[in-house]
Amino acid sequence: RNVWEIDPFAEISIFDGGLNEKNTKDFILKNPKLDIFIDEIDSIPMKILSRQICRAHRIPVLMVTDNGDGIIFDVERFDLEPKRQLLHGIMEHMNPREIQNFDFKSWIKIANKIIGLKSLDLRMKQSIAQIGKTLSGVPQLGTSAAVGASLVSFVIRNIANNQETPSGRYHIEFEKLI
């Protein structure tokens, strides 16, 4: 509704049931084909599947992970590196079908492997230990979300303008900056 208020002629494809294994390829490749995929997915099998599709069709992937007051920002330039390993090699050998029915503890273990426990802010580590106990989900701060959104917008503009934007994992840590 918000998009149509801005542009009443906008063409919007709606996926009523959300993304799933059956429609992810259509979401990425049809009406229109995505130029860049932004991963904001909690499902690990969907993270793998979407990257497999993006790599096969040379679509860059951007992912922001909240890390307390900071963020971890992943750039995968499959458009420039079509043989690049998924999420810097972390997810390369994971099969989405084999991990679909993992329990919550297994999800946390794989998520921690993807993020890298050494990269996590101390308070974030303490919060993750409380998920399912005193917290219902992964905590996120508005300040981190705003910085992450700004960084994604900046990198999208760079990629669209053919400015150098290499693959990699980048850390924005406010406590170290100030």
Side-chain angles (χ1 to χ4, degrees), residues 155-168:
V155 171
I156 288 171
R157 186 183 73 214
N158 280 356
I159 291 172
N161 289 318
N162 295 318
Q163 294 177 339
E164 186 175 339
T165 308
S167 294

Side-chain angles (χ1 to χ4, degrees), residues 66-166:
D66 288 10
N67 187 14
D69 284 311
I71 60 170
I72 301 167
F73 184 58
D74 289 288
V75 178
E76 296 169 273
R77 294 297 306 268
F78 296 124
D79 55 327
L80 302 177
E81 304 169 84
K83 294 182 181 180
R84 180 175 185 76
Q85 291 188 329
L86 303 181
L87 214 101
H88 322 297
I90 298 166
M91 296 185 341
E92 187 62 33
H93 302 291
M94 290 184 191
N95 182 333
R97 290 201 170 113
E98 291 177 4
I99 60 173
Q100 276 183 331
N101 298 315
F102 270 20
D103 62 11
F104 188 70
K105 282 186 177 183
S106 298
W107 181 89
I108 290 287
K109 185 177 178 181
I110 293 172
N112 284 336
K113 182 179 178 184
I114 291 169
I115 296 165
L117 279 177
K118 291 180 182 176
S119 300
L120 285 180
D121 173 91
L122 175 61
R123 288 178 294 181
M124 184 60 105
K125 287 179 187 176
Q126 292 168 339
S127 295
I128 287 174
Q130 291 301 311
I131 297 173
K133 297 173 185 171
T134 60
L135 296 174
S136 60
V138 178
Q140 297 176 306
L141 297 174
T143 51
S144 300
V147 168
S150 297
L151 187 54
V152 165
S153 298
F154 173 79
V155 171
I156 288 171
R157 186 183 73 214
N158 280 356
I159 291 172
N161 289 318
N162 295 318
Q163 294 177 339
E164 186 175 339
T165 308

Side-chain angles (χ1 to χ4, degrees), residues 6 63 67 125 172:
I6 294 168
M63 181 177 79
N67 187 14
K125 287 179 187 176
I172 309 297

